């Protein structure tokens, strides 16, 4: 494997250098790290409940809220039934236990939501105490859910689209190739002062990993209304110099990308991460232009064309 030895490795960015036997990518395409945490106690048991609920996926969050709502009302319905048939004034007579449970469950939902249609009401001191406690639990539950929903909706999150692959161009006039990939903002909001940092990770023969910071032709843009093609020239100072696709495969070469910008909508910094492995780099390819000027002079950016490249002869 021919490779220039002049580039000095970058200090471990926090992903670890002694990863013997690690065959998976370091950063997943969605920006998450390919690390599984093992602990005797989960985040829930450690008391980090806020982070746990805010970090859940929307599917699991909604399922948990629905499950919590149903479970609480089932427990309170069973409590009303345990107090006897006269604990709920106005409850229709039901021949089966299942129908009685459903009437008690519907009464519990009305109390939990503080709706109170006026058809049924608690009767007796025990039923009154239970319904009062349920109303308190309901108020607290909806307050917590409202806070969590606001936190989830207000949390800034970048919607940056990465091209599905990176390309390595044929040699230019100076004999050097160029490594490039493209990004674009999927939203219509304004992102300013966008910067990029790209690391190259490879595996050594002893199984350890080394990291190199790639020098970019341009590591920052002021605005991002169109796409941004991030380019690294593979010259004599590049760790990729004289490397072949076979060399990248043998060393498990991977590009690690960190993007940072300022979102005008949220008035906060946003971050995006992704990576390209050796098998996601197309050699002797060039990207096609993803935008065009319409007849009325307006510029249209086609996000589908962001991923399209064409092969060129070396």
């Amino acid at each position: 494997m021919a490779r220039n030895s002049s580039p000095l490795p970058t200090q471990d960015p926090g992903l670890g250098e002694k990863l013997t036997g690690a065959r998976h990518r370091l950063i997943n395409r969605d920006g998450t790290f390919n690390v599984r945490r093992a602990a005797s106690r989960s985040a829930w048991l450690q008391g980090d409940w806020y982070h746990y609920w805010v970090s859940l996926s929307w599917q699991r969050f909604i399922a948990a809220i629905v499950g919590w709502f149903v479970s609480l009302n089932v427990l309170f319905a069973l409590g009303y039934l345990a107090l006897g048939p006269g604990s709920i004034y106005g409850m229709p007579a039901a021949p089966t236990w299942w129908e009685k449970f459903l009437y008690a469950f519907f009464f519990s939902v009305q109390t939990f939501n503080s709706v109170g249609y006026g058809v049924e009401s608690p009767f007796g001191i025990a039923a009154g105490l239970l319904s009062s406690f349920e109303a308190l639990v309901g108020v607290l539950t909806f307050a917590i859910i409202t806070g969590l929903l606001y936190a989830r909706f207000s949390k800034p999150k970048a919607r940056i689209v990465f091209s599905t692959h990176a390309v390595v161009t044929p040699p230019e006039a100076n004999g050097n190739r160029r490594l490039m990939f493209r990004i674009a903002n999927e939203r219509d909001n304004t992102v300013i002062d966008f910067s990029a940092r790209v690391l190259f990770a490879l595996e050594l023969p002893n199984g350890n990993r080394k990291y190199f910071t790639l020098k970019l032709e341009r590591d920052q843009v002021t605005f991002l209304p169109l796409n941004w093609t991030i380019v690294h020239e593979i010259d004599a100072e590049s760790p990729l110099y004289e490397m072949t696709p076979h060399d990248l495969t043998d060393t498990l070469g991977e590009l690690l990308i960190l993007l940072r910008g300022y979102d005008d909508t949220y008035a906060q910094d946003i971050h995006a991460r992704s990576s390209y492995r050796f098998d996601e780099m197309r050699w002797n390819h060039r990207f096609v232009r993803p935008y065009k000027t319409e007849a009325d002079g307006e510029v249209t950016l086609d996000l589908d064309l962001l991923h399209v490249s064409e092969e060129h002869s070396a």
Side-chain angles (χ1 to χ4, degrees):
M1 175 180 61
R3 179 159 71 255
N4 192 336
S5 60
S6 60
L8 297 177
T10 301
Q11 185 178 5
D12 175 16
L15 296 170
E17 293 183 346
K18 298 182 179 180
L19 298 174
T20 303
R23 307 299 295 181
H24 297 291
R25 67 193 314 145
L26 298 173
I27 300 179
N28 297 314
R29 290 306 306 270
D30 61 359
T32 58
F33 293 100
N34 204 2
V35 176
R36 182 186 307 159
R37 284 177 169 79
S40 58
R41 295 192 305 166
S42 64
W44 172 264
L45 296 178
Q46 293 172 6
D48 197 3
W49 300 337
Y50 177 80
H51 183 269
Y52 175 82
W53 285 105
V54 172
S55 302
L56 276 180
S57 65
W58 275 107
Q59 294 84 349
R60 295 182 64 185
F61 178 77
I62 294 174
I65 295 302
V66 172
W68 176 255
F69 178 83
V70 173
S71 299
L72 281 179
N73 283 283
V74 167
L75 290 176
F76 281 110
L78 294 175
Y80 290 121
L81 292 178
L83 295 177
S87 62
I88 302 177
Y89 180 79
M91 187 174 74
T96 64
W97 183 89
W98 179 247
E99 290 177 303
K100 294 179 181 179
F101 169 76
L102 288 179
Y103 283 125
F105 179 82
F106 296 147
F107 173 73
S108 174
V109 171
Q110 296 171 28
T111 305
F112 194 85
N113 293 337
S114 301
V115 175
Y117 290 119
V119 178
E120 299 174 342
S121 59
F123 184 79
I125 295 178
L129 289 175
L130 183 59
S131 62
S132 299
F133 178 68
E134 182 178 11
L136 175 63
V137 172
V139 170
L140 294 177
T141 297
F142 285 109
I144 292 173
I145 292 176
T146 302
L148 291 175
L149 284 173
Y150 175 79
R152 293 176 67 91
F153 276 110
S154 62
K155 182 173 63 174
K157 185 177 181 181
R159 291 291 296 272
I160 302 300
V161 181
F162 290 81
S163 56
T164 55
H165 58 273
V167 302
V168 179
T169 66
E172 307 288 343
N174 59 3
N176 295 334
R177 297 176 180 269
R178 294 197 298 170
L179 170 68
M180 59 182 69
F181 60 92
R182 298 200 293 200
I183 65 168
N185 186 10
E186 192 175 18
R187 294 193 178 113
D188 291 331
N189 63 323
T190 302
V191 179
I192 61 176
D193 293 334
F194 220 69
S195 62
R197 185 183 182 192
V198 181
L199 302 179
F200 174 63
L202 57 83
E203 185 179 89
L204 301 177
N206 62 4
N208 293 344
R209 281 188 177 267
K210 289 296 182 183
Y211 303 90
F212 301 85
T213 299
L214 298 187
K215 183 180 179 181
L216 305 178
E217 288 189 357
R218 187 178 186 184
D219 61 5
Q220 185 175 8
V221 292
T222 304
F223 309 106
L224 191 63
L226 296 174
N227 70 289
W228 179 17
T229 303
I230 299 175
V231 180
H232 164 69
E233 184 173 359
I234 307 177
D235 55 17
E237 297 181 355
S238 170
L240 294 163
Y241 189 63
E242 294 185 350
M243 290 190 73
T244 66
H246 182 72
D247 295 332
L248 285 177
T249 302
D250 288 344
T251 58
L252 302 179
E254 182 176 353
L255 298 179
L256 311 176
I257 303 151
L258 172 62
L259 305 176
R260 179 180 302 167
Y262 183 81
D263 191 326
D264 256 0
T265 302
Y266 292 103
Q268 294 186 32
D269 290 335
I270 58 173
H271 303 83
R273 296 180 301 270
S274 191
S275 73
Y276 294 96
R277 275 168 53 96
F278 55 89
D279 54 354
E280 295 167 332
M281 303 179 193
R282 296 182 180 177
W283 287 71
N284 297 322
H285 272 243
R286 297 183 188 274
F287 284 117
V288 301
R289 179 176 295 180
Y291 56 88
K292 63 179 179 179
T293 304
E294 306 292 348
D296 59 358
E298 188 174 17
V299 179
T300 300
L301 173 64
D302 190 338
L303 293 178
D304 293 331
L305 289 179
L306 192 76
H307 316 286
V308 179
S309 64
E310 296 177 343
E311 187 174 7
H312 290 255
S313 59

